[in-house]
Amino acid sequence: AVVSTQSTGGEKMGDVKSKLANDIGTLDFKVTKVDTKIKVWRSEVRLISQQKLTWQNSTHAEKLFSEYAVDGVYTGSGDLWGLNPIQHMGGNKRNYMLIVDLGGLFKVHTVKVWNRVDCCQSQSLGVMVYADEEFLGGLNDEKLLYTFRAGEDVYARKIYLKQSIPNWMNLREVQVFGTGPFAEEEVYN
């Protein structure tokens, strides 16, 4: 083996190369650690819908906005005009919908739909829940909480709640749990 005797401030070139190789190995380990943390973070099922952008066809009383469906407030209070505002459509028409934009491509695990507690639970009957084009289920009986589990490989950018019959839609909260975000090529290739 040939060891250089050139000096760089008192160190032999062989020593410098050895130190540089150790530093690169350490850096590579640190990058791998960061990559692993990102993979773990992306694989953890968590709430992905809170405070996301929303849209609905119309708004009841010009006060019960679509944003209330993802505001994180879903207490047992019936104070829909104050502490526990609800999302409420401005009409009882078929095909009215609420859309939650997840802000990226996510693997959807579960969608929870919280009905209002003060009254009128039957007004949301007929609502169908979709993750992009994938049908997850419908609201077909009066209860406070509906839980829809997605299939194994359901990825979506938006959650659609669509009224399938001429009925109102007024919900306390919509929670979407999942992982991601993912790039298109990670999912569809």
Side-chain angles (χ1 to χ4, degrees), residues 75-162:
T75 68
S77 164
D79 182 16
L80 66 108
W81 298 104
L83 296 175
N84 193 28
I86 63 169
Q87 163 279 334
H88 198 308
M89 288 291 178
N92 58 347
K93 296 183 180 176
R94 186 174 186 265
N95 292 328
Y96 267 15
M97 73 173 74
L98 167 68
I99 301 171
V100 178
D101 186 340
L102 299 174
L105 183 62
F106 287 85
K107 184 173 184 178
V108 177
H109 181 269
T110 306
V111 175
K112 290 186 175 188
V113 178
W114 296 81
N115 211 346
R116 58 190 292 183
V117 295
D118 58 331
C119 72
C120 315
Q121 292 175 359
S122 65
Q123 288 186 357
S124 292
L125 295 178
V127 171
M128 306 298 233
V129 181
Y130 296 85
D132 281 347
E133 296 177 8
E134 183 79 22
F135 176 69
L136 300 179
L139 282 59
N140 57 9
D141 57 347
E142 295 178 35
K143 57 185 182 179
L144 293 176
L145 174 63
Y146 305 87
T147 301
F148 304 101
R149 299 215 189 288
E152 182 61 33
D153 289 318
V154 175
Y155 291 84
R157 294 182 176 283
K158 294 180 180 162
I159 302 298
Y160 297 89
L161 291 93
K162 183 177 179 182

Side-chain angles (χ1 to χ4, degrees), residues 161-176:
L161 291 93
K162 183 177 179 182
Q163 185 50 273
S164 64
I165 60 175
N167 200 1
W168 298 89
M169 182 191 317
N170 43 37
L171 305 169
R172 192 165 30 141
E173 192 77 11
V174 176
Q175 295 177 312
V176 183

